[in-house]
Amino acid sequence: MANIKTLAEFIVERQKDFPFATGDLSRLLTSIRLAAKLVNREVNKAGLVDEILGETNVHNIQGERQQKLDVYANERFISAMRNQGEVCAIASEENDDPIIFDHPISRDGKYVVAMDPLDGSSNIDVNVSIGTIFSIYRRLDPNKVTLDDFLQPGTQQVAAGYVIYGSSTMLVYTTGHGVNGFTLDPSIGVFCLSHADMKIPNDGSIYSVNEGNYFDFPENVRRYIDDCKRSKLSARYIGSLVADFHRNLLKGGIYMYPSTAKAPKGKLRLLYEANPLAFIMEQAGGLASDGNQRILEVQPTELHQRCPLFIGSKAMVEAATKD
Ligand code: P6P
């Protein structure tokens, strides 16, 4: 077999990037890897197994009916990290409040994680790619976990990544030393390095935005979208953030979710959508802005706060966010 590097080998090899690494972050990434494989298995057969498909009668804080696969994914990632011991608390899109572990193995964990366990889940039933997004911080106080652990600006992230469950399943992450992508080989259940040191092209010919909201957008955004059309760029909007983000990362492009009248703060969540993807995007040479400032410098005030998002190729984000 060609010289395949597995995610496990890569994590150990890169541990050397951290002179004082004790292996804790490596072990944390291993628990995420395990949960991703379990979720991948259920996502891939969701069409066949009706107890996974369809909706529960439970609504999450977003007021959205929870899809059963959302609940399954949430539980898988929470239990994998609880049992692994490096994480002391998790903030999830699916839970109103942070989950603080009291488990002897994990209550002393030195990291906290913010995650969207299954973004784009309304696409599950129509077989469109969906994804998990995660953001990792060091806890602030070894003796207690508070909301402040989760309200650190994105610049304080230790690592961030996403899993995309699509035609193939990939795990893409950064620890601040570049971005690397791993593709799951289902025949052996192993993530293998397939996209080393990912970099987004400085400019691109794809723009992703829900143009149904066009007349609601700020005037400068409408002007930018008009310019994209005049320049004959390609409009690609899947309705699944991770899928649009991943394609733009590989090919160049911009994803926009501006503020609208209905959503003055935009729709996307700062802690577990915008921040982790902004960390990855900047590490890949792109930009991420809320229209006024760098996403990573926004000071969070609430767990589930929303923010407008302009993310992708540097030249495109600069053009889209200039007044
Ligand atoms: P709209 C999915 O609900 C999501 O959070 C992202 O994955 C996606 O890009 C966006 O919302 C779609 O929102 O309002 O355009 O349908």
Side-chain angles (χ1 to χ4, degrees):
M1 202 157 60
N3 179 23
I4 293 279
K5 182 171 291 178
T6 68
L7 176 56
E9 291 163 338
F10 184 86
I11 289 172
V12 172
E13 177 191 286
R14 285 300 177 91
Q15 195 171 296
K16 294 193 292 293
D17 290 342
F18 297 85
F20 309 107
T22 58
D24 296 353
L25 182 60
S26 301
R27 281 188 290 278
L28 166 47
L29 291 170
T30 298
S31 61
I32 289 176
R33 185 178 96 213
L34 169 64
K37 289 183 197 175
L38 294 171
V39 172
N40 175 66
R41 183 184 60 188
E42 297 309 314
V43 165
N44 281 348
K45 65 183 184 188
L48 306 174
V49 183
D50 62 8
E51 73 261 20
I52 291 281
L53 262 186
E55 299 186 335
T56 64
N57 54 11
V58 173
H59 290 72
N60 61 21
I61 189 168
Q62 333 300 341
E64 297 157 347
R65 286 171 67 93
Q66 280 189 305
Q67 298 267 342
K68 288 178 183 172
L69 214 43
D70 271 349
V71 175
Y72 177 83
N74 200 36
E75 287 165 2
R76 287 296 66 72
F77 278 95
I78 290 169
S79 57
M81 287 187 267
R82 178 195 293 116
N83 300 337
Q84 220 292 323
E86 308 310 336
V87 174
C88 60
I90 293 178
S92 168
E93 180 180 32
E94 301 302 339
N95 298 82
D96 301 357
D97 302 311
I99 299 143
I100 299 175
F101 294 145
D102 192 23
H103 192 286
I105 294 180
S106 39
R107 66 170 155 242
D108 298 329
K110 67 182 186 186
Y111 298 106
V112 297
V113 173
M115 71 171 180
D116 185 350
L118 210 56
D119 177 74
S121 52
S122 55
N123 295 301
I124 293 170
D125 297 355
V126 294
N127 206 9
V128 164
S129 300
I130 49 183
T132 298
I133 312 171
F134 60 90
S135 169
I136 303 172
Y137 291 89
R138 280 188 195 79
R139 72 191 290 174
L140 296 173
D141 180 332
N143 301 313
K144 65 180 187 309
V145 178
T146 69
L147 202 52
D148 290 344
D149 290 298
F150 294 100
L151 300 182
Q152 302 179 58
T155 48
Q156 298 305 306
Q157 291 177 93
V158 174
Y162 62 88
V163 184
I164 178 167
Y165 311 96
S167 48
S168 64
T169 292
M170 281 190 68
L171 190 153
V172 177
Y173 81 97
T174 183
T175 56
H177 294 73
V179 179
N180 292 281
F182 301 80
T183 300
L184 181 65
D185 178 340
S187 68
I188 52 174
V190 172
F191 280 103
C192 300
L193 181 63
S194 53
H195 297 69
D197 195 22
M198 299 173 83
K199 293 292 180 194
I200 187 170
N202 187 55
D203 205 343
S205 58
I206 295 170
Y207 70 102
S208 308
V209 65
N210 182 342
E211 296 204 44
N213 300 321
Y214 175 85
F215 293 110
D216 265 1
F217 292 154
E219 200 272 330
N220 68 311
V221 175
R222 293 202 306 274
R223 202 170 48 238
Y224 176 68
I225 292 172
D226 296 345
D227 291 347
C228 289
K229 293 175 189 286
R230 281 191 207 97
S231 310
K232 301 275 187 266
L233 301 192
S234 297
R236 294 283 184 277
Y237 191 70
I238 301 174
S240 182
L241 169 60
V242 172
D244 280 316
F245 178 91
H246 185 70
R247 182 207 52 245
N248 291 348
L249 176 61
L250 291 174
K251 295 179 176 284
I254 184 171
Y255 172 98
M256 298 177 276
Y257 208 105
S259 59
T260 65
K262 197 174 59 170
K265 279 280 186 195
K267 172 182 182 183
L268 300 173
R269 308 294 175 166
L270 176 61
L271 266 61
Y272 39 77
E273 289 172 334
N275 264 337
L277 295 182
F279 187 16
I280 293 167
M281 185 50 75
E282 289 198 2
Q283 284 288 312
L287 291 180
S289 166
D290 67 359
N292 298 310
Q293 68 179 100
R294 192 177 166 218
I295 287 284
L296 295 181
E297 289 177 347
V298 173
Q299 175 53 57
T301 53
E302 289 165 31
L303 209 56
H304 299 285
Q305 75 183 68
R306 301 175 191 270
C307 66
L309 181 62
F310 300 81
I311 189 166
S313 294
K314 187 169 180 296
M316 299 181 88
V317 173
E318 285 172 345
T321 54
K322 73 175 188 292
D323 286 332

